[in-house]
Amino acid sequence: TDNKEFSIVIGNFYSFESAKFLKNKLEKESVSFSNKIYINKKNEKSYTLIAGPYNAINSLKNDYIILSDRGFEDLEVNLK
């Protein structure tokens, strides 16, 4: 069986502090995101906030809907 992992790109930030602020806010507001959101540092001025990894489409879909309902647009789903 092929174990595929998916992730949701929540947003890109120019500062680590901004990404961390949103990460903490999402984790506090929804138990669904506990220990599931991380910050990927691309360089000194580029950080990506990502939820995942997901092995099951249903859990990915549920979190995607939660984010969408909170007004996040242009969410991107990536396959690893």
Side-chain angles (χ1 to χ4, degrees):
T1 312
D2 231 20
N3 284 346
K4 292 183 175 146
E5 285 189 342
F6 299 90
S7 60
I8 302 171
V9 176
I10 299 169
N12 296 298
F13 299 86
Y14 293 111
S15 77
F16 178 78
E17 290 75 22
S18 297
K20 186 176 178 183
F21 174 81
L22 184 55
K23 175 186 186 292
N24 291 339
K25 184 175 177 176
L26 286 170
E27 287 177 337
K28 282 181 194 165
E29 289 178 0
S30 179
V31 112
S32 177
F33 292 112
S34 288
N35 300 317
K36 203 188 287 179
I37 298 179
Y38 62 96
I39 300 168
N40 182 19
K41 179 180 178 181
K42 292 181 179 178
N43 59 49
E44 288 303 315
K45 293 189 179 188
S46 182
Y47 301 88
T48 305
L49 190 61
I50 299 172
Y54 299 93
N55 295 327
I57 291 293
N58 281 342
S59 57
L60 173 121
K61 186 175 119 186
N62 292 341
D63 286 354
Y64 189 96
I65 290 169
I66 290 169
L67 290 165
S68 185
D69 287 349
R70 290 181 183 206
F72 288 93
E73 299 175 1
D74 301 325
L75 294 169
E76 187 179 314
V77 175
N78 288 339
L79 172 63
K80 286 185 179 181

